[in-house]
């Protein structure tokens, strides 16, 4: 899987800003007889020209990440890494981030360093945390999003006080949801992808339901649920657990299962 992703990551690196930074090039050309002169103490900045403010990716996003899969975070394998003001993919070179824009508590938009070989290329890309900060989605213009899981232990958000146990699924998650991309979504008896969420049950049209036994808040827009799945017409049940992420406007919802692509819905 990582070999396949390596091809896509090469394209992503172009969007995230590839190549040596301008500071590296200028440092090599500074000083007498090709020797680089170190700036005086107190004069160093994160930009080679010294006329731009430093940027910092929020700490919650930093760390080592791997593609969401059954073999995620295998010891010894390379990672996608987010640093204070840089990213790198699968042991590749660091790609400097020159601007950070906070979209909301769980989402940032980053601007990669310009690519001298493609000066007109859009270098914007975004990171969106999900779950309790142990999952992240990377997205960029004209590219499919990529889902990651954290590989470096407990996330910075794992001990937040808003991650409290709940008695039931909060009211703003409840309602009927139609599968995104399903032209029959929200047609009820005709749709195969509709889902209804109540206080303690998730019903999937035509397939089964989950009887919820526990609900835990993991972020402002995300809850984790546990329960037992009951397939229509079958007496047996099986334990299930996953996260449910709601958009800021409450009109879109995603179910997040480990090792699977998100299931996206629109409110009916």
């Amino acid at each position: 899987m990582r070999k396949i992703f390596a091809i896509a990551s090469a394209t992503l690196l172009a969007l995230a800003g590839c190549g040596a930074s301008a500071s590296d090039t200028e440092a090599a050309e500074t000083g007498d007889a090709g020797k680089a002169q170190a700036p005086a103490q107190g004069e160093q900045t994160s930009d080679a020209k010294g006329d731009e403010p430093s940027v910092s990716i929020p700490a919650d996003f930093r760390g080592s990440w791997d593609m969401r899969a059954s073999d995620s975070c295998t010891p010894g394998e390379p990672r996608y890494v987010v640093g204070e003001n840089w990213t790198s993919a699968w042991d590749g070179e660091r790609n400097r981030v020159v601007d950070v824009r906070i979209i909301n508590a769980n989402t940032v938009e980053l601007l990669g360093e310009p690519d001298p070989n493609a000066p007109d290329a859009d270098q914007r890309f975004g990171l969106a945390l999900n779950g309790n900060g142990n999952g992240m989605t990377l997205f960029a213009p004209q590219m499919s999003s990529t889902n990651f899981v954290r590989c470096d232990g407990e996330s910075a958000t794992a001990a937040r006080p808003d991650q409290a146990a709940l008695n039931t699924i909060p009211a703003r998650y409840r309602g009927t949801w139609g599968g995104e991309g399903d032209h029959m979504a929200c047609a009820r008896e005709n749709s195969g992808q509709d889902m209804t969420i109540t206080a303690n049950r998730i019903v999937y049209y035509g397939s089964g339901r989950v009887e919820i036994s526990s609900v835990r808040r993991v972020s402002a827009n995300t809850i984790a649920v546990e329960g037992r799945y009951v397939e229509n017409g079958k007496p047996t049940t099986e334990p299930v657990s996953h996260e449910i992420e709601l958009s800021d406007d409450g009109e879109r919802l995603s179910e997040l299962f480990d090792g699977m692509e998100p299931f996206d819905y629109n409110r009916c």
Side-chain angles (χ1 to χ4, degrees), residues 150-194:
R150 188 181 291 276
C151 297
D152 51 3
E154 187 177 39
S155 72
T157 60
R160 284 181 175 172
D162 62 352
Q163 297 178 20
L166 305 172
N167 293 325
T168 60
I169 296 176
R172 64 195 188 103
Y173 293 82
R174 302 175 197 171
T176 298
W177 302 85
E180 191 169 81
D182 178 11
H183 72 283
M184 294 299 293
C186 301
R188 296 188 179 179
E189 70 272 13
N190 295 322
S191 175
Q193 296 189 43
D194 283 1

Side-chain angles (χ1 to χ4, degrees), residues 46-66:
S46 63
D47 183 78
K49 297 178 181 179
D51 57 0
E52 293 182 8
S54 61
V55 299
S56 180
I57 300 172
D60 288 358
F61 295 84
R62 301 178 205 166
S64 299
W65 303 85
D66 198 3

Side-chain angles (χ1 to χ4, degrees), residues 55-122:
V55 299
S56 180
I57 300 172
D60 288 358
F61 295 84
R62 301 178 205 166
S64 299
W65 303 85
D66 198 3
M67 290 183 64
R68 183 184 290 271
S70 59
D71 61 346
S72 297
C73 301
T74 301
E77 290 195 350
R79 311 277 186 242
Y80 182 84
V81 181
V82 179
E84 182 176 8
N85 59 1
W86 55 270
T87 65
S88 70
W90 324 119
D91 285 341
E93 63 185 12
R94 292 185 179 186
N95 303 289
R96 194 162 68 102
V97 172
V98 297
D99 187 56
V100 177
R101 187 163 71 96
I102 308 298
I103 305 300
N104 56 47
N106 297 321
T107 307
V108 295
E109 182 182 271
L110 309 178
L111 179 64
E113 189 173 46
D115 182 356
N117 297 318
D120 296 328
D122 190 346

